[in-house]
Amino acid sequence: MFKNYPDWTKAIHKEGHIFIIIFAAITFLFSSASTSFGWICFMATVWCVYFFRDPVRIVPNIKGGVISPADGIVQSISNEKPPVELGLDDQEMIRISVFLNIFNIHVNRVPSDGKIVTLHYHPGKFFNASLDKASVHNERQSVLMETSTGHKIVFVQIAGLLARRIVCELEENLTVSAGQKFGIIRFGSRVDVYLPIGTSIKIAVGQTMVAGETIIADLTEKKQASINFENR
């Protein structure tokens, strides 16, 4: 029965199911006591559904390309040292910081084809993710990967002022594909990407990113003549 109907749960990240149920239950309970408060709870439930949405993305298939791991706004592009726990010998890399507000899709995606080398979870504080010090002091999940082109890159999930849970489903030595979903941060956060110095950056500060679709850099010197697309 109903096998021909679309599965709405696939459009919502699994981390959101319990929250949507809780918000809906609260709405049901309080709507009978107060119409006004009931409407407030209803709108909160709608926002919860909206926050955990998980749409299909069209991933550009480009060798050496680095895809944005998160929706949001490019907050900064600068030369910085990656998280010390990854053991990269204190070398500077190009850091691209993408800030996510509470209305952005928070499902995170792998930025490039390759293999996961190192994972490290660092407990920390919960400063506003838009602050530069959030990269150092906030709770974070750091990932070091080697791309299919032989480059080492880093991406970091950073908790924000309201975020209280970082979900990362990656494992060390796991082979991954660009645009592949690997986790989520709730609610409001930031994702940093560290690339080798000299990498050709394709985006600018203030630009809006689409996770799994926006090409943020090219790790190879040769420009691609064309880009193919595929659903993931």
Side-chain angles (χ1 to χ4, degrees):
M1 184 180 291
F2 304 122
K3 65 180 180 179
N4 293 324
Y5 285 79
D7 184 355
W8 69 269
T9 61
K10 292 182 179 179
I12 304 296
H13 194 276
K14 60 185 180 181
E15 284 287 318
H17 294 170
I18 185 63
F19 284 94
I20 294 171
I21 292 172
I22 291 173
F23 275 57
I26 292 174
T27 300
F28 177 78
L29 289 174
F30 285 94
S31 59
S32 59
S34 170
T35 302
S36 298
F37 192 65
W39 275 108
I40 293 173
C41 292
F42 173 76
M43 294 304 297
T45 303
V46 171
W47 170 80
C48 188
V49 173
Y50 184 75
F51 178 88
F52 285 105
R53 65 199 188 280
D54 184 11
V56 171
R57 291 291 163 83
I58 308 301
V59 183
N61 183 15
I62 175 172
K63 184 178 180 180
V66 180
I67 313 301
S68 178
D71 284 35
I73 301 294
V74 178
Q75 182 179 321
S76 65
I77 303 175
S78 58
N79 292 347
E80 307 288 346
K81 296 175 182 178
V84 295
E85 60 266 20
L86 295 178
L88 292 175
D89 300 326
D90 213 28
Q91 62 180 321
E92 283 194 342
M93 303 179 76
I94 301 173
R95 187 185 72 190
I96 299 172
S97 297
V98 180
F99 176 72
L100 300 78
N101 64 39
I102 60 174
F103 298 106
N104 288 127
I105 294 171
H106 275 58
V107 178
N108 300 141
R109 293 174 178 264
V110 176
S112 187
D113 296 333
K115 179 181 288 187
I116 303 302
V117 177
T118 304
L119 295 169
H120 192 282
Y121 171 75
H122 176 82
K125 301 182 184 300
F126 297 96
F127 293 118
N128 189 319
S130 65
L131 300 177
D132 194 58
K133 62 181 179 180
S135 292
V136 177
H137 298 294
N138 278 26
E139 176 181 332
R140 62 179 179 267
Q141 173 68 56
S142 302
V143 182
L144 171 63
M145 74 172 292
E146 183 173 341
T147 71
S148 59
T149 55
H151 298 84
K152 287 187 176 180
I153 68 173
V154 173
F155 50 102
V156 186
Q157 297 170 289
I158 302 173
L161 185 64
L162 299 178
R164 288 297 183 271
R165 178 168 167 79
I166 295 175
V167 177
C168 180
E169 300 171 346
L170 298 173
E171 298 178 359
E172 292 183 358
N173 298 316
L174 180 68
T175 299
V176 292
S177 300
Q180 176 181 328
K181 292 179 283 189
F182 74 89
I184 190 171
I185 318 173
R186 61 174 199 250
F187 298 90
S189 52
R190 171 172 159 179
V191 177
D192 288 346
V193 181
Y194 293 81
L195 305 173
I197 296 293
T199 299
S200 176
I201 305 301
K202 303 298 183 182
I203 45 97
V205 173
Q207 186 172 339
T208 299
M209 298 292 97
V210 178
E213 292 190 356
T214 305
I215 299 173
I216 63 175
D218 186 351
L219 294 168
T220 63
E221 295 182 359
K222 182 183 294 186
K223 294 183 178 180
Q224 304 296 317
S226 62
I227 300 177
N228 297 318
F229 293 90
E230 56 184 284
N231 287 321
R232 287 187 185 152

